[in-house]
Amino acid sequence: DAKTTQPNSMESNEEEPVHLPCNHSTISGTDYIHWYRQLPSQGPEYVIHGLTSNVNNRMASLAIAEDRKSSTLILHRATLRDAAVYYCILRGGGSNYKLTFGKGTLLTVNP
Amino acid sequence: EAGVAQSPRYKIIEKRQSVAFWCNPISGHATLYWYQQILGQGPKLLIQFQNNGVVDDSQLPKDRFSAERLKGVDSTLKIQPAKLEDSAVYLCASSLESRDTDTQYFGPGTRLTVL
């Protein structure tokens, strides 16, 4: 499975933007980049996904580098409720479309 | 829309005992997944069903773990006998299909403690 690299932890202040980086230098041309997050004591939840172009939804934005070897999840205004572990996952046919979770980035949001 | 339901939420057993977890996926979702999440790690896929057939069970410890999905809806995951290292949260998830763009919806999980 294609691997991703994320920082173990990041910290942000409430109502400020947060940029969560992810490196995936071995991404294949057909792999989608997915982001999930896991709030304390809950199951993971979907955040956003993309292939080549930047993507926006009500939760976040996903900025994908031109060479696709890295991406950044952007939370435009962090709230306390955004404190969670964020997982960057590559998903494609080569891995039978599995979600293979790493350790993710623990985001702490300070009031 | 109702989410993925799991029960029980918590279970404490002694090693060598048996335990079973139940999952009810979102209505109409053909694909069902069981994950194991050990403290401090990301979830690890144990088994994936497409309707009532197994698609991937490559990481399921088949000597002690078993799972079934009767009639392509509900699913049960069983551990027999349990070991200390099975202490974890067991997550069930479902999706409409199994493609690179499908969203997986997760249940709240069952926290298993093996003493």
Side-chain angles (χ1 to χ4, degrees):
Chain A
D1 294 336
K3 300 256 186 239
T4 62
T5 304
Q6 300 178 252
N8 290 332
S9 62
M10 289 186 65
E11 207 166 318
S12 173
N13 296 320
E14 201 174 8
E15 298 189 5
E16 290 185 356
V18 181
H19 290 233
L20 296 163
C22 180
N23 288 319
H24 29 78
S25 58
T26 60
I27 190 170
S28 77
T30 56
D31 284 341
Y32 278 80
I33 302 159
H34 286 250
W35 285 81
Y36 280 72
R37 72 179 185 180
Q38 188 170 21
L39 302 171
S41 300
Q42 295 188 26
E45 65 175 348
Y46 168 80
V47 178
I48 200 166
H49 75 273
L51 184 62
T52 56
S53 303
N54 294 345
V55 184
N56 299 296
N57 67 20
R58 64 174 180 81
M59 288 181 71
S61 296
L62 176 60
I64 301 172
E66 201 168 326
D67 63 5
R68 301 210 326 126
K69 293 187 176 183
S70 66
S71 60
T72 302
L73 179 71
I74 303 166
L75 306 179
H76 295 286
R77 290 185 66 207
T79 69
L80 297 178
R81 196 196 171 275
D82 292 321
V85 177
Y86 286 78
Y87 298 99
C88 169
I89 303 165
L90 301 184
R91 192 175 188 195
S95 60
N96 197 27
Y97 309 118
K98 286 195 298 190
L99 286 179
T100 301
F101 289 83
K103 290 192 174 183
T105 297
L106 175 63
L107 176 66
T108 302
V109 180
N110 300 313
Chain B
E1 172 181 89
V4 176
Q6 291 188 247
S7 68
R9 291 296 311 276
Y10 304 91
K11 190 74 177 178
I12 300 174
I13 62 172
E14 298 196 347
K15 61 183 180 183
R16 291 189 289 273
Q17 285 187 324
S18 302
V19 65
F21 313 126
W22 172 82
C23 173
N24 180 233
I26 292 173
S27 177
H29 281 195
T31 311
L32 185 146
Y33 313 80
W34 283 101
Y35 290 83
Q36 179 193 59
Q37 185 171 24
I38 293 172
L39 188 64
Q41 299 182 17
K44 181 182 83 171
L45 180 68
L46 292 176
I47 189 167
Q48 176 183 339
F49 292 94
Q50 183 74 19
N51 297 308
N52 59 351
V54 175
V55 173
D56 184 345
D57 63 357
S58 58
Q59 298 195 89
L60 186 74
K62 298 180 187 64
D63 57 335
R64 297 183 302 104
F65 286 65
S66 65
E68 61 181 5
R69 189 180 184 197
L70 298 175
K71 300 180 182 178
V73 182
D74 293 4
S75 177
T76 56
L77 176 69
K78 297 179 181 177
I79 308 175
Q80 180 179 11
K83 293 185 175 182
L84 296 176
E85 58 261 36
D86 298 332
S87 293
V89 175
Y90 290 85
L91 294 159
C92 179
S94 70
S95 63
L96 275 172
E97 296 176 13
S98 175
R99 297 182 342 187
D100 44 18
T101 56
D102 280 343
T103 297
Q104 288 189 22
Y105 296 88
F106 286 79
T110 297
R111 181 176 298 277
L112 174 67
T113 302
V114 182
L115 303 175

